Amino acid sequence: MSYNEDNNSGKILLAVLAGASAGIVAGLLMAPDKGSATRGNLKNYAGKYGDQLGDQLSKFGTQLDGTFKNLVEKLEDLGVSGTGSSLNLKGDWNTAKGKLKQQYAQLTDEDLTYAEGQGDELVGRLQEKLGKGKREIVKMLNDL
């Protein structure tokens, strides 16, 4: 997705919101219902459009996260940010553990304990056990 597509999406969303706002104002000025009925209708529409806006923002956030991760990987590939600066484990961890145990007999199951979000602890244990630097350990794990 290019910058122009993101920019156009933002313009479209802004135009839709502006159109909806203009419609609400026109509806208030020409409302045939009593004030309480009109307020009830407005509340229903606001809830509906609020949910749609929330869904769109969530989708945009997911796309932005994916784009950011791709850019970080490209920077690492180009050598700008340094390979192995971020841990990115892919695939089955049990298979990766088996490969590590084959390469490094001194590693135990306790050394290779990994839970989501605790990559720094794993890297620290492997640094101590293998005597390698953080960048080298992260690169080794990412390459598995």
Side-chain angles (χ1 to χ4, degrees), residues 33-134:
D33 294 333
K34 295 192 309 183
S36 59
T38 301
R39 285 191 301 276
N41 289 338
L42 286 175
K43 184 177 179 182
N44 291 337
Y45 287 126
K48 176 182 165 188
Y49 290 122
D51 291 342
Q52 288 177 356
L53 182 60
D55 292 343
Q56 288 294 324
L57 288 175
S58 175
K59 189 187 300 184
F60 180 69
T62 302
Q63 289 174 344
L64 187 61
D65 185 50
T67 301
F68 180 74
K69 286 181 181 178
N70 287 338
L71 289 174
V72 168
E73 288 176 6
K74 286 179 182 178
L75 287 173
E76 286 180 356
D77 291 343
L78 292 172
V80 174
S81 68
T83 304
S85 61
S86 62
L87 186 61
N88 187 16
L89 298 176
K90 298 177 183 170
D92 181 34
W93 177 241
N94 289 325
T95 304
K97 273 181 19 179
K99 289 178 183 178
L100 285 170
K101 281 184 175 182
Q102 287 176 352
Q103 285 181 328
Y104 304 99
Q106 71 266 35
L107 294 178
T108 64
D109 283 332
E110 188 175 309
D111 295 329
L112 296 171
T113 301
Y114 172 71
E116 191 70 34
Q118 296 181 346
D120 288 340
E121 289 85 356
L122 172 66
V123 170
R125 286 192 304 270
L126 292 177
Q127 278 181 276
E128 285 180 30
K129 201 75 167 195
L130 300 177
K132 296 184 179 191
K134 179 179 179 180

